[in-house]
């Protein structure tokens, strides 16, 4: 099936007679990479005798998800009957399918058949089924599902959203609610920015002051509310398990050596000596840093990384590395200067080399890999090289506006893996439209419109060999101005749907005009689920 032809047809129908344009592809986001539609309009009809058939040994969660979807859209409650041969919804764990996140979903006269090699991927296929039923409203209302064959797998293995409870704390139930929504669109990583100048949000048993002092903006303040709070390790395990069932991995981010006022409030002697007695204000981003020449920094972070590595099953720990205020700290510190001299360095930014060598040895000892925000020798073009030579085994994330082409080039040259979070497309803390929320941000209010988010090609249009080190995408939701879950989802949707499609669908399947049409049933479904979203009125043509 030529999807482009389908797009054009759907678009023409939609503009002509909106009510007849709804079909089984009308709410598919991200667009699957291979669809064969029935050209005869044949359907499978569900009824009270339809049963579920599965070979999954531990199927409870995916079967409950399947039942939820069928009950929501058709008010039917099929039960398991593994002897049934027709009128079935079949969930098959199939080890012949080798690739991660590769699934097939077919609908024929016998029923609905889903095949994949893991529960996580079956969950992905169920999200496609959910969207088929959402899109084809007329058939769904009659309990009919049109015949179709979908054979789908992602363009990128890493499809992330980053949330920032360091700036404004999100209770466990809100994080779960956020995971529910991102999982609909096949995002598979949730990076949680757990430490920053505004707060330390994860319990570290070996250093309890990190949360006793670092998790509350007001000394002795309450442990509730947007400014204060932290996740106990037990709560974080609950989040990790909840996410895992929905094919989402939690990646912890512990930001160093900058963005570290919360730890310095708890342990001031980990900063450069001349700043030990300065007030540590947990309310806003300041320019304090961990001291590169303080041995205790490395022993404390060895403990922190050990606990983080034990708690989070992800192979990755994100260690920040962004916006280090080197001139305001290391350049003025006697101990840092001595360390520079011992190493024969001419610039204090070279202290990032021993700093991350020390920290990364803890990461490696604990069997993990590090991700860092990519910093170059200038924060705006022209930039020529990395800020410092990154160790070979780190994955970098491009993020600064206008520097992504350089980051792609340098990571390829230096053989680093790269994740794409270019500010122009994926910074969802930016307003979605001129004059829209938030009321303020740190960046002079650049705007990332929905269309601009959609225009992201994570490969930046480069020849295949020049983009083969790019592993995925990440939408970021820095939360200086995001005070609660409703504002968080408002900033996330609908733009995250655009990023989801950039991460999953091959460029041949992507089409802005068609995406605009598929968006609205998905937005409506989110609203019906109580999700605060922004209505993208600006993309509706002929709006007067
Ligand atoms: C960043 O936005 N500071 C990575
Ligand atoms: Zn220092």
């Amino acid at each position: 099936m030529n999807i482009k032809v389908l797009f054009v047809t759907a678009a023409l129908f939609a503009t002509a007679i909106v009510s007849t344009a709804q079909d089984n592809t009308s709410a598919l986001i991200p667009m699957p990479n291979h669809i064969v539609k029935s050209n005869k309009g044949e359907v499978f009809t569900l009824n009270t005798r339809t049963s579920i058939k599965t070979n999954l040994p531990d199927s409870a969660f995916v079967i409950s998800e399947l039942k939820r979807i069928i009950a929501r859209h058709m008010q039917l409650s099929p039960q398991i009957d593994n002897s049934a041969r027709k009128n079935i919804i079949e969930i098959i764990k199939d080890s012949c399918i080798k690739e991660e996140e590769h699934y097939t979903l077919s609908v024929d006269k016998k029923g609905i058949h889903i095949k994949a090699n893991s529960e996580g991927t079956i969950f992905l296929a169920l999200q496609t089924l959910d969207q088929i039923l959402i899109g084809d409203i007329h058939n769904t209302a009659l309990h009919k599902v049109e015949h179709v064959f979908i054979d789908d797998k992602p363009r990128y293995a890493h499809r992330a959203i980053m949330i920032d409870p360091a700036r404004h704390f999100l209770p466990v139930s809100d994080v779960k609610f956020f995971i529910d929504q991102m999982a609909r669109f096949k995002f598979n990583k949730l990076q949680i920015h757990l430490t920053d100048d505004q707060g330390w949000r994860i319990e570290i048993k070996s250093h309890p002051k990190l949360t006793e002092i670092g998790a509350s903006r007001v000394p002795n303040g309450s442990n509730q509310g947007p400014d204060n709070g932290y996740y106990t390790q037990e709560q974080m395990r609950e989040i990790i398990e909840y996410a895992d069932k929905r094919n989402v991995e939690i990646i912890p981010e512990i930001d160093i050596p900058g963005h570290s006022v919360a730890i310095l409030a708890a342990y001031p002697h980990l900063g450069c000596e001349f700043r030990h007695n300065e007030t540590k204000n947990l309310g806003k981003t300041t320019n304090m840093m961990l001291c590169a020449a303080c041995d205790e920094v490395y022993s404390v972070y060895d403990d922190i990384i050990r606990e983080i590595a034990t708690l989070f099953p992800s192979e990755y720990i994100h260690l920040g590395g962004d916006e280090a205020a080197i001139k305001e700290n290391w350049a003025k510190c006697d101990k840092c200067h001595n360390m520079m001299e011992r190493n024969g360095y001419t610039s204090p930014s070279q202290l990032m080399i021993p700093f991350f060598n020390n920290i990364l040895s803890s990461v490696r000892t604990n069997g993990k890999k590090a991700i860092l925000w990519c910093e170059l020798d200038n924060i705006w073009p022209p930039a020529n090289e990395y800020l410092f030579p990154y160790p070979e085994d780190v994955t970098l994330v491009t993020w600064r506006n206008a520097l992504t082409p350089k980051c792609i080039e340098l990571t390829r040259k230096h053989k680093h893996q790269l994740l794409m979070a270019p500010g122009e497309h994926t910074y969802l803390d930016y307003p979605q439209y001129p004059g829209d929320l938030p009321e303020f941000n740190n960046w002079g209010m650049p705007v990332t419109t929905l269309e601009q988010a959609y225009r992201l090609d994570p490969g930046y249009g480069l020849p295949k060999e020049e983009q083969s080190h790019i592993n995925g995408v990440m939408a970021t939701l820095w939360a200086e101005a995001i005070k609660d879950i409703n504002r968080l989802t408002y900033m996330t949707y609908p733009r995250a749907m655009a990023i989801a499609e950039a991460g999953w669908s091959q460029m041949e399947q992507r089409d802005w005009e068609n995406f605009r049409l598929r968006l609205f049933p998905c937005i409506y479904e989110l609203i019906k689920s109580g999700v605060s979203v922004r209505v993208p009125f600006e993309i509706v043509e002929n709006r007067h």
Side-chain angles (χ1 to χ4, degrees):
M1 176 73 190
N2 183 334
I3 297 289
K4 277 258 164 64
V5 173
L6 175 72
F7 285 163
V8 174
T9 316
L12 288 173
F13 262 80
T15 20
I17 325 162
V18 173
S19 61
T20 59
Q22 296 284 133
D23 70 11
N24 57 356
T25 63
S26 297
L28 293 179
I29 297 180
M31 181 50 90
N33 283 301
H34 179 72
I35 304 182
V36 183
K37 273 173 66 80
S38 153
N39 52 12
K40 295 190 205 132
E42 296 152 300
V43 292
F44 164 61
T45 306
L46 286 84
N47 54 36
T48 51
R49 293 180 308 283
T50 304
S51 32
I52 297 171
K53 190 169 176 177
T54 184
N55 69 348
L56 277 178
D58 179 16
S59 61
F61 178 71
V62 286
I63 297 300
S64 72
E65 178 68 4
L66 169 63
K67 286 184 175 175
R68 183 191 66 75
I69 291 167
I70 301 296
R72 178 167 178 82
H73 301 299
M74 294 181 169
Q75 300 77 46
L76 291 169
S77 47
Q79 301 300 313
I80 294 185
D81 174 2
N82 280 333
S83 65
R85 294 184 172 274
K86 52 186 190 198
N87 195 3
I88 48 177
I89 310 173
E90 226 182 352
I91 305 282
I92 303 292
K93 187 163 178 174
D94 184 349
S95 53
C96 296
I97 300 180
K98 297 290 177 216
E99 287 159 296
E100 290 283 314
E101 300 191 307
H102 180 183
Y103 70 90
T104 63
L105 188 164
S106 57
V107 182
D108 59 21
K109 61 179 193 283
K110 280 193 183 168
I112 301 170
H113 316 273
I114 285 173
K115 292 185 185 168
N117 78 8
S118 70
E119 280 82 348
T121 308
I122 287 167
F123 177 85
L124 295 180
L126 289 174
Q127 303 318 301
T128 305
L129 176 62
D130 188 36
Q131 293 177 346
I132 286 174
L133 302 186
I134 291 168
D136 205 359
I137 43 174
H138 299 299
N139 274 325
T140 302
L142 300 170
H143 298 177
K144 293 175 195 292
V145 190
E146 202 175 344
H147 290 189
V148 71
F149 176 71
I150 297 178
D151 184 339
D152 197 16
K153 60 185 177 193
R155 180 177 179 192
Y156 292 104
H158 195 113
R159 305 176 307 280
I161 300 189
M162 190 219 77
I163 56 170
D164 178 15
R167 266 50 179 270
H168 283 105
F169 186 65
L170 284 169
V172 173
S173 56
D174 288 349
V175 178
K176 288 182 178 174
F177 183 74
F178 192 82
I179 291 167
D180 287 342
Q181 314 318 324
M182 66 184 277
R184 293 172 187 268
F185 304 104
K186 300 189 175 67
F187 281 104
N188 66 354
K189 315 274 178 200
L190 179 64
Q191 180 168 314
I192 309 189
H193 186 74
L194 286 166
T195 71
D196 211 301
D197 295 336
Q198 290 80 356
W200 187 282
R201 308 298 183 197
I202 182 72
E203 176 189 27
I204 300 294
K205 292 181 195 282
S206 55
H207 299 282
K209 277 197 200 164
L210 287 171
T211 44
E212 279 165 18
I213 293 175
S216 298
R217 281 194 197 170
V218 184
N220 309 318
S222 93
N223 210 15
Q224 304 294 316
D227 293 346
N228 302 323
Y230 67 92
Y231 306 109
T232 63
Q233 293 197 4
E234 200 175 324
Q235 286 172 326
M236 188 49 79
R237 267 190 288 275
E238 189 184 322
I239 291 173
I240 291 166
E241 203 177 300
Y242 187 88
D244 180 58
K245 286 202 160 80
R246 290 156 181 81
N247 199 50
V248 173
E249 176 183 288
I250 306 292
I251 297 180
E253 181 181 354
I254 305 293
D255 202 345
I256 51 174
H259 292 275
S260 48
V261 173
I263 184 169
L264 294 175
Y267 302 104
H269 59 286
L270 299 182
C272 291
E273 204 168 332
F274 74 100
R275 307 196 73 162
H276 284 184
N277 296 326
E278 277 180 47
T279 307
K280 309 297 186 298
N281 178 350
L282 286 181
K284 59 182 171 95
T285 297
T286 56
N287 58 18
M288 286 187 204
M289 279 170 73
L290 298 162
C291 179
C294 171
D295 289 341
E296 208 180 324
V297 165
Y298 304 110
S299 61
V300 168
Y301 272 89
D302 191 54
D303 295 336
I304 293 170
I305 287 166
R306 187 178 333 102
E307 290 196 37
I308 293 287
T310 308
L311 180 58
F312 292 87
S314 173
E315 68 174 315
Y316 292 112
I317 301 177
H318 197 302
L319 291 171
D322 58 319
E323 299 176 310
I326 293 171
K327 277 197 208 122
E328 292 84 354
N329 294 273
W330 295 353
K332 295 183 180 167
C333 167
D334 293 340
K335 278 169 77 182
C336 285
H337 266 277
N338 291 342
M339 190 178 189
M340 276 176 64
E341 266 168 34
R342 281 199 308 279
N343 284 282
Y345 295 150
T346 52
S347 157
S349 64
Q350 289 171 288
L351 291 176
M352 291 288 249
I353 302 170
F355 181 87
F356 275 109
N357 276 346
N358 281 324
I359 299 285
L360 283 172
S361 81
S362 300
V363 173
R364 293 182 194 115
T365 304
N366 286 286
K368 302 288 179 177
K369 294 182 186 158
I371 308 179
L372 293 173
W373 300 108
C374 185
E375 288 286 27
L376 303 186
D377 55 9
N378 197 357
I379 61 168
W380 205 253
N384 293 308
E385 251 310 336
Y386 290 150
L387 174 67
F388 71 101
Y390 288 108
E392 213 173 282
D393 55 350
V394 302
T395 293
L396 293 168
V397 187
T398 178
W399 61 282
R400 285 190 188 269
N401 278 7
L403 287 185
T404 288
K406 198 65 183 178
C407 284
I408 297 176
E409 180 194 319
L410 289 173
T411 44
R412 177 163 180 254
K413 175 171 136 195
H414 295 296
K415 300 192 171 24
H416 285 114
Q417 301 295 305
L418 180 63
L419 298 171
M420 301 293 284
E424 297 92 330
H425 299 283
T426 74
Y427 265 44
L428 306 189
D429 52 320
Y430 295 175
Q432 317 184 43
Y433 193 70
D436 208 288
L437 297 168
E439 301 85 350
F440 73 92
N441 71 14
N442 296 335
W443 302 92
M445 290 294 203
V447 169
T448 302
T449 62
L450 174 60
E451 180 168 358
Q452 182 67 7
Y454 193 78
R455 297 285 177 207
L456 172 66
D457 165 11
Y460 263 54
L462 290 164
K464 218 171 175 185
E465 65 282 6
E466 290 178 33
Q467 51 163 293
S468 57
H469 61 300
I470 296 174
N471 281 347
V473 296
M474 176 156 64
T476 65
L477 286 138
W478 301 103
E480 287 93 333
I482 298 180
K483 284 197 182 347
D484 64 20
I485 182 68
N486 293 330
R487 182 64 74 83
L488 179 64
T489 57
Y490 178 91
M491 298 306 289
T492 308
Y493 298 105
R495 289 180 296 183
M497 298 180 201
I499 308 299
E501 188 148 300
W504 183 278
S505 309
Q506 301 290 342
M507 290 309 285
E508 310 85 76
Q509 315 301 346
R510 296 185 54 204
D511 179 288
W512 164 245
E513 295 303 325
N514 182 264
F515 176 77
R516 283 174 7 143
L517 300 176
R518 285 179 282 128
L519 199 62
F520 286 99
C522 292
I523 290 179
Y524 183 50
E525 186 65 16
L526 288 178
I527 293 171
K528 281 201 295 180
S529 307
V531 183
S532 163
V533 299
R534 178 174 177 276
V535 174
F537 55 82
E538 69 281 5
I539 68 163
V540 177
E541 267 166 20
N542 304 322
R543 180 180 177 268
H544 299 294

